[in-house]
Amino acid sequence: TSRIVLPLREIDITQIRSQGAGGQNVNKVASAVQLRFDISNSSLPEFLKKRLLNRTDSRLTKSGHIVIKSQNHRTFERNKEDALSRLASFIQQSTLTRKKRRPTKPSKN
């Protein structure tokens, strides 16, 4: 399969505060990242846009955006790299077509 290249100008990268239990992250820096990718207004091929919009996934919004958050790392840059790689792999999964199974031979009784 060919590698899909996503232009960074099409991805809205926002720096957010990490989410935690209670008020424990009052002193935390805003190192978490949220990516928003608009499928309809992207430069992706039409067949891929349709496949992405037809998927059922919690990362897809009703308005046709892919939203991915990353807050596992301490720095903004590492979270950004993590979120971008997860976005790329999410889109890459939609390019793959599943193999059709051959019909099985009927068992002898």
Side-chain angles (χ1 to χ4, degrees):
T1 59
S2 61
R3 195 85 179 131
I4 301 255
V5 179
L6 293 171
L8 279 176
R9 68 179 182 278
E10 293 183 1
I11 304 170
D12 179 28
I13 301 170
T14 313
Q15 194 168 357
I16 56 174
R17 291 183 78 89
S18 299
Q19 298 296 312
Q24 69 192 67
N25 49 353
V26 174
N27 298 324
K28 271 194 180 180
V29 230
S31 63
V33 174
Q34 176 177 312
L35 298 183
R36 286 183 69 83
F37 181 71
D38 187 0
I39 298 169
S40 303
N41 296 328
S42 69
S43 59
L44 294 174
E46 287 301 317
F47 82 94
L48 189 52
K49 288 180 187 180
K50 286 180 183 173
R51 278 192 189 171
L52 285 168
L53 290 169
N54 289 333
R55 280 182 75 169
T56 52
D57 196 285
S58 61
R59 295 168 282 190
L60 282 171
T61 64
K62 289 181 182 176
S63 60
H65 289 80
I66 300 172
V67 178
I68 294 181
K69 294 178 184 175
S70 176
Q71 59 183 27
N72 299 330
H73 306 286
R74 288 187 181 271
T75 64
F76 171 73
E77 287 303 317
R78 295 266 320 266
N79 280 325
K80 181 178 162 185
E81 289 170 18
D82 179 45
L84 285 170
S85 68
R86 289 185 10 219
L87 175 65
S89 67
F90 180 76
I91 292 175
Q92 191 70 31
Q93 287 172 0
S94 295
T95 62
L96 304 175
T97 53
R98 295 185 180 198
K99 288 184 178 179
K100 291 183 178 168
R101 292 184 54 181
R102 285 188 286 160
T104 56
K105 294 179 183 174
S107 58
K108 295 179 180 176
N109 288 339

